[in-house]
Amino acid sequence: MIRAAKDYAADLKLVENAKSNLQSVKDILEAVPQIGVEFEDPTVSLEKKHLVIDRVFPKEIRNFLKVLCDNGDFGLLDEIEQAYMELTKTPEKVEAQAELTYVTPPTPEQMERIRLFLAKEYNNPDIKIVGKEDASIKSGFIIRVGNKEYDWSEQGRIDQLQKHINQSLAGKKLATVSEESIISILRADIADFELAAKDKEIGVVNWVGDGIANVDGIDHAFYGEIVLFDCGVKGMVQDVRRDEIGVILFGRDTEIKEGSRVVRTGKMAGIPVGDAFLGRIVDALGAPIDGQGDIAQDGYRPIENPAPSIVDRKSVSVPMETGILSIDSMFPIGRGQRELIIGDRQTGKTSIAMDTILNQKGKDVVCVYVAIGQKASTIAKLVNTLKKNDALDYTIVVAATASDPAPLQYIAPYAGTALAEYFMYQGKDVLIVYDDLSKHAVAYRAISLLLERSPGREAYPGDVFYLHSRLLERSSRVTAEAGGGSITALPIIETQAGDVSAYIPTNVISITDGQIYLETEMFNAGFRPAVNAGLSVSRVGGSAQIKAMKKISGPIRIELAQYRELAAFSQFSSDLDPETKEQLAQGERIREILKQDQYKPMPVENQVIIIYAATKKYLIDVEVDDIMDFEKGLFEYIDTKYPEVPASILQLHNDVTIVADEAALSKIDM
C-alpha cells in the first residue's frame, strides 16, 4: 500500500538538515537522471539500489531514500518535497538538548544568559539543558550540543588567549625583536583581546586499531590537522572522506575506544625548533628521548612546508666534502644537493653517511640524522660513535625506531627537515641524512592500506612518488634574501639483490641529483667503501669541487674503466705486453688508494696529494699491499717537510696557481 506524501514528509522532518539534503538529492538526480529511472524500476534489485544510495547520496538521508525504494514509492519524491515545504512553513521547535558542565551550579542570571545564547544559536528558546558537575574544569562552564562544544572554562579561556598571542607573533622573527618590543606587542594584544564563546567541533571514534582511528562528526577538518583524543593522545588527519575522517595516531591506541571524543585543534602538525636541539636525540614529535631533560624551544615549524621557490634558489657551487676519497674525487657533493646512497643490505650505506657527518667537524655545518624504522640498539651505537668523535655537539638525531607506530615513522623525515629548515633560514649550512626512505615508504604503505586506499604497483599507494618528492624538494641552497643557508640531503635506499629498477629506487633516483651505488660483491671482497664507479654519478659534477681537486681528479675514472676492461680480458691471456702490464699495475694502485677505513674521513688536501701521486705514477714501484702504509707515511712527510702545500690546496685557486702547485708537488721526493 502506497503511503501518502504527507506521511513521508513528516518522516523527512526528522532527518538532520533535511532541506539541504533533499536539495542535494534533487541535484544528483538532475545531473544523472538514469539513477531515478533505475530506482523506479521494480526489476532492479533492492541490493543494487541500496548500494547506489550508499555511494552517491548524503549520509543523513540515505535511510529515508532506502525506505522509499523498499516501498516502491520513489516516484513520489516531488510530491513529498511539496508536502515537506508545506509542513515547514510554520516554524516548529527543533528538539535539541544541551549538556552544561560546571564546577558550581550557575546562578539564575547566568542560566538565563546561557538560555538566551542557545536560543539565538539554535533558534529554539525552549532548548532543554541538562546539568553535569565536573571539578576537573576548575571554573567556568562547558556547553555541548550535538558535535559542537562551547568552552567557557578556565582552561578554555587560557587556550583562547594563547592562540591569539601565537597568531599575533606568527611571522615575526623573535630573535631579531627586542624584549621591550615583545612586551609592547603582548600588552596591545591582551588589551584588544575579547573572550568569545567559540564553538569547537567534537567528533566520536567509530573504529580504532593498528594506529588508525576513523572519526565521525567532524565535518570541517583539513588534511594534516592535529586532533586531540580525550585520553590525551594526538593524531593527524590523513584522510578526509564524505562521512568521516581517517586519523593516524601519534601514540598507543590502547586507551582509545569506540565512542571516545575527539576535538579539533585547528593547528597543522608541527615540531618545536631551536638551537638547543643540537646535541640531542628526539622522537618524531620533537620530544627528547635521551634522558637529559626538556629542550628549550625558539619556535614552532610545521612538518609539512612548501619547498623554496625557483627564484629563492641558488646554484650548487660550494663543496660538501664527505671525507671519502672515492666520492669527493669522482662524485662530488655540493651544498644544497640531494645525493642518493643506494645498495643492498649490509653494504656500508650508513657508514658513508656517518663519515660525512664526522667530516663536518669544525666546518660550521649543522647535521641532522633521521633514523627510520631502525632498531633502538643500532641507533644507540651510532650515537656512541658520534660522541666518541666529538660530532654529537653539532648533530641532531631524530629517531623513529622499529617499535614505534607506523605514523611516527611516516612523519619522522618531515620532522627532521623542519628542524633543518630552521637552521637553513638562519643562514646556516645543514646536512640531513634519511636512513632510510625504503622503510619510510613501507610505513606509508601500511598506513595507506589501513586507510583503505587503493594499492598500486608493489601494493604501494599511487601517491608514493609525491611522498618523497615533496620531502626532498625542500633541500636546496637559498639566496641571501631568503635566508642564505642550505640543506644538503643524503637519502638512503635499500635495494633487494641489487635491483635498482624496483619501484621505490627508481622513484628516488629520478628525484635526486645523483646516486652513490654500493656493490655487494665489492663489499664482500674487502673493497670498502664499496662504491661502484660505473653506476654512481653526481649531476652537479665539478661545480662542487675545489679547483685543485677538479684539476687533478679527471683521469681517475678513465683509468679505472680501462683497468676493468683490461682485467676482464687479461684473464684469458697468459702473455701480456709491458704496456698492458703497466696499465694493470696502475689500475690496481688507483683501486687501492680508494680503499679507506671506516670513521676516518680524509681531509680534501690529503686527497689531492695522494691522487696526484697515483695519477703521476709515483706509486707504480710500491707493492699493492703496502699502499695504505705508504699513504700514511707520505702525509706525515709532507706535513713535516712541506706544510705549505696542503695550505695552498685549500685556498681558492685559479689555473695559474694550480700549475704552480703541481710544480711544487712534483718537487717532493717520493
PDB file of all heavy atoms in Angstrom, residues 2 12 15 55 82 109 133 167 186 213 371 400 425 468 475 485 521 531 533 557 566 644:
ATOM      1  N   ILE A   2       0.548   2.213  -0.950  1.00  0.00           N
ATOM      2  CA  ILE A   2       1.336   3.420  -1.090  1.00  0.00           C
ATOM      3  C   ILE A   2       0.995   4.394   0.030  1.00  0.00           C
ATOM      4  O   ILE A   2      -0.161   4.747   0.224  1.00  0.00           O
ATOM      5  CB  ILE A   2       1.082   4.070  -2.461  1.00  0.00           C
ATOM      6  CG1 ILE A   2       1.506   3.127  -3.574  1.00  0.00           C
ATOM      7  CG2 ILE A   2       1.844   5.385  -2.571  1.00  0.00           C
ATOM      8  CD1 ILE A   2       1.225   3.647  -4.958  1.00  0.00           C
ATOM      9  N   LEU A  12      10.377  12.928   6.955  1.00  0.00           N
ATOM     10  CA  LEU A  12      11.524  13.686   6.444  1.00  0.00           C
ATOM     11  C   LEU A  12      11.929  14.792   7.406  1.00  0.00           C
ATOM     12  O   LEU A  12      13.107  15.174   7.466  1.00  0.00           O
ATOM     13  CB  LEU A  12      11.193  14.273   5.070  1.00  0.00           C
ATOM     14  CG  LEU A  12      12.345  14.930   4.285  1.00  0.00           C
ATOM     15  CD1 LEU A  12      13.453  13.918   4.007  1.00  0.00           C
ATOM     16  CD2 LEU A  12      11.824  15.512   2.976  1.00  0.00           C
ATOM     17  N   VAL A  15      14.838  14.076   9.694  1.00  0.00           N
ATOM     18  CA  VAL A  15      16.174  13.966   9.114  1.00  0.00           C
ATOM     19  C   VAL A  15      16.942  15.259   9.375  1.00  0.00           C
ATOM     20  O   VAL A  15      16.418  16.355   9.199  1.00  0.00           O
ATOM     21  CB  VAL A  15      16.095  13.685   7.590  1.00  0.00           C
ATOM     22  CG1 VAL A  15      17.499  13.672   6.973  1.00  0.00           C
ATOM     23  CG2 VAL A  15      15.386  12.371   7.337  1.00  0.00           C
ATOM     24  N   ARG A  55      26.641   4.953  -1.929  1.00  0.00           N
ATOM     25  CA  ARG A  55      27.808   5.506  -2.598  1.00  0.00           C
ATOM     26  C   ARG A  55      27.602   6.935  -3.095  1.00  0.00           C
ATOM     27  O   ARG A  55      28.581   7.681  -3.245  1.00  0.00           O
ATOM     28  CB  ARG A  55      28.213   4.620  -3.781  1.00  0.00           C
ATOM     29  CG  ARG A  55      28.810   3.274  -3.375  1.00  0.00           C
ATOM     30  CD  ARG A  55      29.278   2.497  -4.591  1.00  0.00           C
ATOM     31  NE  ARG A  55      29.961   1.260  -4.197  1.00  0.00           N
ATOM     32  CZ  ARG A  55      30.495   0.382  -5.057  1.00  0.00           C
ATOM     33  NH1 ARG A  55      30.421   0.629  -6.362  1.00  0.00           N
ATOM     34  NH2 ARG A  55      31.095  -0.708  -4.616  1.00  0.00           N
ATOM     35  N   GLN A  82       6.970  18.831  -1.971  1.00  0.00           N
ATOM     36  CA  GLN A  82       5.939  19.849  -1.823  1.00  0.00           C
ATOM     37  C   GLN A  82       5.263  19.766  -0.458  1.00  0.00           C
ATOM     38  O   GLN A  82       5.030  20.781   0.198  1.00  0.00           O
ATOM     39  CB  GLN A  82       4.892  19.698  -2.933  1.00  0.00           C
ATOM     40  CG  GLN A  82       5.426  20.009  -4.331  1.00  0.00           C
ATOM     41  CD  GLN A  82       4.383  19.779  -5.419  1.00  0.00           C
ATOM     42  OE1 GLN A  82       3.230  19.430  -5.136  1.00  0.00           O
ATOM     43  NE2 GLN A  82       4.780  19.935  -6.681  1.00  0.00           N
ATOM     44  N   GLU A 109      20.803  34.169  37.021  1.00  0.00           N
ATOM     45  CA  GLU A 109      21.171  35.147  35.987  1.00  0.00           C
ATOM     46  C   GLU A 109      22.073  34.501  34.929  1.00  0.00           C
ATOM     47  O   GLU A 109      21.899  34.727  33.720  1.00  0.00           O
ATOM     48  CB  GLU A 109      21.901  36.343  36.616  1.00  0.00           C
ATOM     49  CG  GLU A 109      21.022  37.212  37.517  1.00  0.00           C
ATOM     50  CD  GLU A 109      20.880  36.614  38.903  1.00  0.00           C
ATOM     51  OE1 GLU A 109      21.571  35.597  39.212  1.00  0.00           O
ATOM     52  OE2 GLU A 109      20.046  37.127  39.701  1.00  0.00           O
ATOM     53  N   GLU A 133      28.064  18.038  36.853  1.00  0.00           N
ATOM     54  CA  GLU A 133      29.124  18.596  37.682  1.00  0.00           C
ATOM     55  C   GLU A 133      30.442  17.896  37.391  1.00  0.00           C
ATOM     56  O   GLU A 133      30.513  16.669  37.336  1.00  0.00           O
ATOM     57  CB  GLU A 133      28.765  18.448  39.164  1.00  0.00           C
ATOM     58  CG  GLU A 133      29.723  19.184  40.099  1.00  0.00           C
ATOM     59  CD  GLU A 133      29.278  19.142  41.539  1.00  0.00           C
ATOM     60  OE1 GLU A 133      28.056  18.998  41.779  1.00  0.00           O
ATOM     61  OE2 GLU A 133      30.143  19.252  42.429  1.00  0.00           O
ATOM     62  N   GLN A 167      49.050  33.770  17.189  1.00  0.00           N
ATOM     63  CA  GLN A 167      48.716  34.316  15.877  1.00  0.00           C
ATOM     64  C   GLN A 167      49.327  35.699  15.672  1.00  0.00           C
ATOM     65  O   GLN A 167      49.755  36.052  14.578  1.00  0.00           O
ATOM     66  CB  GLN A 167      47.201  34.377  15.708  1.00  0.00           C
ATOM     67  CG  GLN A 167      46.537  33.026  15.520  1.00  0.00           C
ATOM     68  CD  GLN A 167      45.029  33.109  15.478  1.00  0.00           C
ATOM     69  OE1 GLN A 167      44.432  34.135  15.824  1.00  0.00           O
ATOM     70  NE2 GLN A 167      44.385  32.015  15.064  1.00  0.00           N
ATOM     71  N   LEU A 186      52.609  42.140  23.297  1.00  0.00           N
ATOM     72  CA  LEU A 186      51.745  41.349  24.165  1.00  0.00           C
ATOM     73  C   LEU A 186      50.725  42.223  24.885  1.00  0.00           C
ATOM     74  O   LEU A 186      49.548  41.866  25.000  1.00  0.00           O
ATOM     75  CB  LEU A 186      52.582  40.565  25.184  1.00  0.00           C
ATOM     76  CG  LEU A 186      53.492  39.458  24.613  1.00  0.00           C
ATOM     77  CD1 LEU A 186      54.310  38.831  25.727  1.00  0.00           C
ATOM     78  CD2 LEU A 186      52.654  38.386  23.933  1.00  0.00           C
ATOM     79  N   ALA A 213      42.474   5.622  13.420  1.00  0.00           N
ATOM     80  CA  ALA A 213      41.152   5.832  14.003  1.00  0.00           C
ATOM     81  C   ALA A 213      40.258   6.520  12.976  1.00  0.00           C
ATOM     82  O   ALA A 213      40.677   7.498  12.340  1.00  0.00           O
ATOM     83  CB  ALA A 213      41.225   6.663  15.284  1.00  0.00           C
ATOM     84  N   ALA A 371      66.674   8.591  11.761  1.00  0.00           N
ATOM     85  CA  ALA A 371      66.643   7.129  11.770  1.00  0.00           C
ATOM     86  C   ALA A 371      65.189   6.673  11.660  1.00  0.00           C
ATOM     87  O   ALA A 371      64.359   7.006  12.501  1.00  0.00           O
ATOM     88  CB  ALA A 371      67.274   6.592  13.050  1.00  0.00           C
ATOM     89  N   ALA A 400      62.827   7.398  14.942  1.00  0.00           N
ATOM     90  CA  ALA A 400      61.548   6.678  14.959  1.00  0.00           C
ATOM     91  C   ALA A 400      61.902   5.205  14.800  1.00  0.00           C
ATOM     92  O   ALA A 400      62.160   4.731  13.693  1.00  0.00           O
ATOM     93  CB  ALA A 400      60.634   7.155  13.837  1.00  0.00           C
ATOM     94  N   TYR A 425      67.160  28.768   7.236  1.00  0.00           N
ATOM     95  CA  TYR A 425      66.662  30.127   7.091  1.00  0.00           C
ATOM     96  C   TYR A 425      67.335  31.104   8.046  1.00  0.00           C
ATOM     97  O   TYR A 425      67.027  32.292   8.023  1.00  0.00           O
ATOM     98  CB  TYR A 425      65.142  30.142   7.257  1.00  0.00           C
ATOM     99  CG  TYR A 425      64.418  29.485   6.091  1.00  0.00           C
ATOM    100  CD1 TYR A 425      63.640  28.358   6.275  1.00  0.00           C
ATOM    101  CD2 TYR A 425      64.557  29.991   4.812  1.00  0.00           C
ATOM    102  CE1 TYR A 425      62.995  27.752   5.213  1.00  0.00           C
ATOM    103  CE2 TYR A 425      63.917  29.385   3.733  1.00  0.00           C
ATOM    104  CZ  TYR A 425      63.147  28.266   3.944  1.00  0.00           C
ATOM    105  OH  TYR A 425      62.524  27.659   2.877  1.00  0.00           O
ATOM    106  N   HIS A 468      57.938  11.255  -1.474  1.00  0.00           N
ATOM    107  CA  HIS A 468      59.368  11.561  -1.391  1.00  0.00           C
ATOM    108  C   HIS A 468      59.741  12.830  -2.148  1.00  0.00           C
ATOM    109  O   HIS A 468      60.693  13.514  -1.769  1.00  0.00           O
ATOM    110  CB  HIS A 468      60.181  10.369  -1.910  1.00  0.00           C
ATOM    111  CG  HIS A 468      60.116   9.180  -1.007  1.00  0.00           C
ATOM    112  ND1 HIS A 468      60.183   7.882  -1.459  1.00  0.00           N
ATOM    113  CD2 HIS A 468      59.985   9.088   0.341  1.00  0.00           C
ATOM    114  CE1 HIS A 468      60.100   7.048  -0.441  1.00  0.00           C
ATOM    115  NE2 HIS A 468      59.980   7.759   0.668  1.00  0.00           N
ATOM    116  N   SER A 475      65.118  20.370   0.200  1.00  0.00           N
ATOM    117  CA  SER A 475      66.570  20.521   0.310  1.00  0.00           C
ATOM    118  C   SER A 475      67.075  21.378  -0.842  1.00  0.00           C
ATOM    119  O   SER A 475      66.844  21.056  -2.005  1.00  0.00           O
ATOM    120  CB  SER A 475      67.255  19.150   0.287  1.00  0.00           C
ATOM    121  OG  SER A 475      66.826  18.360   1.364  1.00  0.00           O
ATOM    122  N   GLY A 485      71.030  30.103   3.678  1.00  0.00           N
ATOM    123  CA  GLY A 485      71.577  28.820   4.101  1.00  0.00           C
ATOM    124  C   GLY A 485      71.367  27.743   3.048  1.00  0.00           C
ATOM    125  O   GLY A 485      71.025  28.010   1.890  1.00  0.00           O
ATOM    126  N   GLU A 521      79.248  -7.360  -4.067  1.00  0.00           N
ATOM    127  CA  GLU A 521      80.436  -8.158  -4.380  1.00  0.00           C
ATOM    128  C   GLU A 521      81.708  -7.434  -3.956  1.00  0.00           C
ATOM    129  O   GLU A 521      82.648  -8.047  -3.413  1.00  0.00           O
ATOM    130  CB  GLU A 521      80.494  -8.480  -5.877  1.00  0.00           C
ATOM    131  CG  GLU A 521      79.452  -9.494  -6.357  1.00  0.00           C
ATOM    132  CD  GLU A 521      78.068  -8.872  -6.488  1.00  0.00           C
ATOM    133  OE1 GLU A 521      77.973  -7.605  -6.414  1.00  0.00           O
ATOM    134  OE2 GLU A 521      77.079  -9.615  -6.639  1.00  0.00           O
ATOM    135  N   VAL A 531      82.100   1.468  -3.408  1.00  0.00           N
ATOM    136  CA  VAL A 531      81.453   2.375  -4.360  1.00  0.00           C
ATOM    137  C   VAL A 531      81.700   1.880  -5.776  1.00  0.00           C
ATOM    138  O   VAL A 531      82.844   1.733  -6.209  1.00  0.00           O
ATOM    139  CB  VAL A 531      81.981   3.812  -4.196  1.00  0.00           C
ATOM    140  CG1 VAL A 531      81.328   4.739  -5.219  1.00  0.00           C
ATOM    141  CG2 VAL A 531      81.728   4.317  -2.781  1.00  0.00           C
ATOM    142  N   ALA A 533      82.031   2.632  -9.339  1.00  0.00           N
ATOM    143  CA  ALA A 533      82.311   3.840 -10.114  1.00  0.00           C
ATOM    144  C   ALA A 533      81.519   3.888 -11.416  1.00  0.00           C
ATOM    145  O   ALA A 533      81.297   4.971 -11.974  1.00  0.00           O
ATOM    146  CB  ALA A 533      83.803   3.935 -10.407  1.00  0.00           C
ATOM    147  N   ARG A 557      88.609   8.232 -13.230  1.00  0.00           N
ATOM    148  CA  ARG A 557      87.517   7.401 -13.732  1.00  0.00           C
ATOM    149  C   ARG A 557      87.916   6.709 -15.027  1.00  0.00           C
ATOM    150  O   ARG A 557      87.569   5.533 -15.258  1.00  0.00           O
ATOM    151  CB  ARG A 557      86.265   8.249 -13.952  1.00  0.00           C
ATOM    152  CG  ARG A 557      85.684   8.814 -12.676  1.00  0.00           C
ATOM    153  CD  ARG A 557      84.324   9.416 -12.895  1.00  0.00           C
ATOM    154  NE  ARG A 557      83.306   8.397 -13.151  1.00  0.00           N
ATOM    155  CZ  ARG A 557      82.011   8.657 -13.204  1.00  0.00           C
ATOM    156  NH1 ARG A 557      81.589   9.896 -13.008  1.00  0.00           N
ATOM    157  NH2 ARG A 557      81.130   7.697 -13.443  1.00  0.00           N
ATOM    158  N   LEU A 566      90.677  -4.177 -19.155  1.00  0.00           N
ATOM    159  CA  LEU A 566      91.900  -4.969 -19.321  1.00  0.00           C
ATOM    160  C   LEU A 566      91.914  -6.167 -18.374  1.00  0.00           C
ATOM    161  O   LEU A 566      92.350  -7.262 -18.758  1.00  0.00           O
ATOM    162  CB  LEU A 566      93.129  -4.093 -19.071  1.00  0.00           C
ATOM    163  CG  LEU A 566      93.498  -3.102 -20.176  1.00  0.00           C
ATOM    164  CD1 LEU A 566      94.637  -2.205 -19.722  1.00  0.00           C
ATOM    165  CD2 LEU A 566      93.897  -3.838 -21.448  1.00  0.00           C
ATOM    166  N   GLU A 644     103.417  23.967   3.537  1.00  0.00           N
ATOM    167  CA  GLU A 644     102.773  24.986   2.711  1.00  0.00           C
ATOM    168  C   GLU A 644     101.929  24.367   1.594  1.00  0.00           C
ATOM    169  O   GLU A 644     101.011  25.005   1.074  1.00  0.00           O
ATOM    170  CB  GLU A 644     103.807  25.950   2.105  1.00  0.00           C
ATOM    171  CG  GLU A 644     104.709  25.351   1.013  1.00  0.00           C
ATOM    172  CD  GLU A 644     105.877  24.560   1.585  1.00  0.00           C
ATOM    173  OE1 GLU A 644     105.991  24.459   2.836  1.00  0.00           O
ATOM    174  OE2 GLU A 644     106.696  24.071   0.766  1.00  0.00           O
TER     175      GLU A 644
END
